[in-house]
Amino acid sequence: MRIGLVDPQATAERQAWISGWARRSRHQILPFVLPASGPAPIAPSTFGERAERLARRLRRWLTGSGARNPAREPMGLPDLLLLTDGLDGSVFREALEDVLGDVPLWVYWHRSALAHPDPPPPEIAAVEIRTARSAHALLFYAEGQRRRFLERLRQQASEALPSVETKAHVLPPGFDPERPPAGTPILSRRLPEPLILWIDRGGPEEPDLLAAALTSLGPRPPAFRLLALNENPEAESHRAARWPLAIRERLLGILRPGDPEAAAWASGARLILETARGGPSPIALMTFAAQGPWPLVPSDSGFLDLLPEPLRPLCAYEAPEALAGHLARVLTAGPPEDPSVIRHALLPYTWPALAPCYDAMCEGAFHQRSSRAT
């Protein structure tokens, strides 16, 4: 099969997702991507424009020209198109309807405003509903994300729910366990205090949540250092200058999640912390948690769906005070379980194990299309 993968915001996490599947797939994965504008979600005003740009790019690849021209026949259609969130799927499909024919169009939701715990902005909700209607299948990274999406759809466009629900499926994100090259020093061992890795997704509420948790630790909190992981360290460093003092005085620096130095710090870190509620697919979190740091995530994180039920309360927090309790226990007494239980729980989501599941799902669409053609 030839599978076109269309991504309007190729962050480091999404690039790792694309390349991980492409390396392990038995099919040809053809990426059509736009560079990331930063860790924050794409502005909704650009969803349609990004869809048109990517449609022109795909048309140029198919016909040799980015403009509509009935005289130009497509040269070898893909067997499936997999879009990710951040573009208007209905605009994309309409822009290519003359060349795609019956090629299935699927959507993978790394991030969804409809599935977020907070009410979505109306303009983003409208785009996601149009996209859901226009796609042949919707893929969610966790069951909780799928369930919230459908519930919000029932509230805002109930007439679309029956058709959308039947084509909504769960396909967890894959990741490659990263290990520093042999001989790489474990940098955290040079620190006298435990190290916390903090996945900072750029949300304005994240530093406040972390600072509130640190305040809840009391007047004599356990000592530790903090290393932030952000898609755009240069830009984030300016914002970091305004972070609360409780964060700044513990901060070692800010690195990209894919930076080799981050992996060198991770193997000896005590904790990996996520502070974005209803965040995107937890690819970076999975990658680092598999290296040993104990994960702590908001209680609505899709990461928890990947863990066995008994482990979830040990990794989840609802409020800053609950996060503070977890931090105090892990920093003073160590993780509540051997970190190897997390690594073992994540094994089914490594690309060597998961890529065949992705391939099989795509092959199902291929066989259905072939049956209709005959």
Side-chain angles (χ1 to χ4, degrees), residues 65-82:
S65 172
R68 283 180 183 253
N69 185 343
R72 289 181 176 269
E73 293 290 332
M75 298 173 289
L77 289 171
D79 299 297
L80 172 70
L81 277 176
L82 179 59

Side-chain angles (χ1 to χ4, degrees), residues 59-65 67-77 98-100:
R59 179 184 292 275
R60 187 176 300 112
W61 179 76
L62 288 170
T63 69
S65 172
R68 283 180 183 253
N69 185 343
R72 289 181 176 269
E73 293 290 332
M75 298 173 289
L77 289 171
D98 60 314
V99 294
L100 288 184

Side-chain angles (χ1 to χ4, degrees), residues 296-325:
L296 291 178
V297 300
S299 58
D300 54 28
S301 170
F303 175 78
L304 297 171
D305 288 8
L306 309 179
L307 301 180
E309 190 72 39
L311 288 178
R312 296 176 188 178
L314 305 178
C315 301
Y317 63 89
E318 184 74 37
E321 296 76 16
L323 174 57

Side-chain angles (χ1 to χ4, degrees), residues 14-277:
R14 294 178 183 229
Q15 288 174 347
W17 177 72
I18 294 170
S19 63
W21 182 21
R23 284 196 303 270
R24 300 307 201 294
S25 177
R26 52 182 173 263
H27 303 301
Q28 185 180 12
I29 310 299
L30 306 167
F32 300 89
V33 304
L34 296 177
S37 55
I42 300 172
S45 60
T46 69
F47 282 14
E49 183 268 336
R50 285 174 177 264
E52 291 172 348
R53 284 175 62 189
L54 285 163
R56 286 194 298 271
R57 183 177 297 181
L58 184 59
R59 179 184 292 275
R60 187 176 300 112
W61 179 76
L62 288 170
T63 69
S65 172
R68 283 180 183 253
N69 185 343
R72 289 181 176 269
E73 293 290 332
M75 298 173 289
L77 289 171
D79 299 297
L80 172 70
L81 277 176
L82 179 59
L83 279 59
T84 64
D85 55 279
L87 55 73
D88 191 322
S90 63
V91 170
F92 182 88
R93 184 173 179 177
E94 183 179 351
L96 291 169
E97 61 183 356
D98 60 314
V99 294
L100 288 184
D102 65 346
V103 173
L105 189 150
W106 292 5
V107 177
Y108 192 96
W109 300 96
H110 285 290
R111 183 195 295 266
S112 167
L114 283 176
H116 195 277
D118 298 328
E123 63 273 24
I124 302 182
V127 170
E128 293 194 0
I129 291 171
R130 288 198 300 271
T131 298
R133 288 176 184 268
S134 66
H136 295 93
L138 307 176
L139 304 177
F140 297 89
Y141 70 78
E143 177 55 37
Q145 186 200 28
R146 176 185 180 274
R147 185 175 59 251
R148 289 192 298 268
F149 184 98
L150 294 175
E151 175 60 25
R152 194 64 58 72
L153 185 67
R154 184 188 64 79
Q155 297 169 7
Q156 301 200 8
S158 59
E159 75 285 354
L161 181 61
S163 62
V164 170
E165 188 171 16
T166 60
K167 59 186 180 183
H169 311 281
V170 174
L171 188 62
F175 76 102
D176 277 315
E178 295 185 2
R179 292 282 185 271
T184 300
I186 300 176
L187 298 179
S188 57
R189 289 180 178 172
R190 301 175 182 176
L191 299 175
E193 312 97 342
L195 176 66
I196 297 177
L197 300 180
W198 172 34
I199 298 179
D200 162 34
R201 298 194 182 275
E205 74 288 347
E206 294 183 63
D208 292 338
L209 186 154
L210 178 55
L214 298 182
T215 300
S216 296
L217 288 173
R220 301 184 65 182
F224 68 91
R225 301 303 297 273
L226 190 69
L227 182 65
L229 303 172
N230 183 276
E231 293 277 354
N232 192 340
E234 294 79 10
E236 191 69 355
S237 62
H238 297 291
R239 195 170 74 105
R242 300 187 298 274
W243 285 348
L245 178 62
I247 297 177
R248 288 187 282 116
E249 65 185 3
R250 295 173 169 89
L251 187 66
L252 286 176
I254 306 174
L255 294 175
R256 287 183 177 83
D259 191 320
E261 186 180 344
W265 283 106
S267 56
R270 183 73 58 87
L271 284 161
I272 175 75
L273 173 65
E274 173 90 74
T275 49
R277 294 182 61 239

